[in-house]
Amino acid sequence: MTDDVVPAPDRPGLRWWAILLIVAAVAGTTFAIGRFTAFGTSPSVPGNASPEAGFARDMQVHHTQAIEMAMDIYRRTDDEGVRTVAYDIATAQAGQRGEFFAWLVEWGLPQASTLPLMTWMTGMPEHDHGGASEARTDEELRAAMGMASPAELAELDAQTGTAADCTFLSLMIRHHEGAIPMAEALVNVGTDARAVQVAQGITQTQSAEISIMRSLQERLACS
């Protein structure tokens, strides 16, 4: 699997929120690399129905949309702050998506699941999406994960300037807010030490990114 390569943007005079984002992204990447050598130290390899396998599959789906939205606005925005955020989200999540793919390869598991999205989260009272997933459509489950609908993506694609920037920020904040409960659920129910620590890193990084994007919304006077 290959990911699109995004050219690094010019970054003169970055404001505090851009610097914070870069630091968070670098810290998360460094941590993940450091944990890679500990892969497989859990008592047993996660199975096909494990929370780790479900998380790796669902998060690849989740990250794919975030990468597509971020790369789209990165190419079109004229705002330095939005461009920086989009670049960092696209590159960081492309790396993580590849990592989740590699987990499943290492565990000898298929990339796709026959189960509905978030089924692995069943049993977590505060994040029990999976318990009712059998009765929900794929579109409804994607919405529960904070993902944008085809209509919302079409609206973003049709917009330009500040309107597009504001729509992107709104959609990406909601997207991150859907990922954080998934990561928190794996922290609570997962048994593979490396996977759990990567999930903790996602919670921390995406929480910081939400704060940064909200500050951008304020600066752009998004409604």
Side-chain angles (χ1 to χ4, degrees), residues 99-184:
E99 186 174 17
F100 301 144
F101 184 95
W103 288 1
L104 295 167
V105 172
E106 183 72 17
W107 295 333
L109 302 176
Q111 296 294 328
S113 174
T114 58
L115 298 174
L117 295 166
M118 299 186 293
T119 302
W120 61 275
M121 296 173 70
T122 301
M124 291 296 298
E126 65 272 37
H127 307 308
D128 195 7
H129 300 295
S133 63
E134 293 288 352
R136 302 166 78 179
T137 66
D138 185 70
E139 182 177 354
E140 289 171 335
L141 291 170
R142 285 172 179 262
M145 293 165 67
M147 297 179 68
S149 68
E152 289 170 330
L153 294 175
E155 179 183 11
L156 174 62
D157 185 61
Q159 292 175 328
T160 59
T162 301
D165 293 340
C166 288
T167 297
F168 166 75
L169 292 170
S170 177
L171 292 177
M172 191 60 73
I173 288 171
R174 192 182 73 196
H175 205 271
H176 277 20
E177 289 174 339
I180 290 172
M182 294 167 65
E184 290 175 338

Side-chain angles (χ1 to χ4, degrees), residues 24 31 180 183 197-210:
F31 179 77
I180 290 172
Q197 293 209 21
V198 169
Q200 290 173 329
I202 287 174
T203 297
Q204 295 165 359
T205 300
Q206 295 206 10
S207 294
E209 288 173 347
I210 287 173

Side-chain angles (χ1 to χ4, degrees), residues 4 32 36 41 51 54 57 61-62 66-67 79 82 89 117 119 138 140-141 145 159 161 170 183 200 208:
D4 292 337
F36 186 78
T41 58
R57 291 164 179 149
V61 173
H62 205 261
I67 294 164
D79 186 272
V82 173
I89 289 174
L117 295 166
T119 302
D138 185 70
E140 289 171 335
L141 291 170
M145 293 165 67
Q159 292 175 328
S170 177
Q200 290 173 329

Side-chain angles (χ1 to χ4, degrees), residues 72-84 86 161 164-165:
D72 173 62
I73 204 68
Y74 169 84
R75 296 185 183 104
R76 298 193 292 125
T77 187
D78 293 322
D79 186 272
E80 175 190 318
V82 173
R83 184 172 169 83
T84 298
D165 293 340

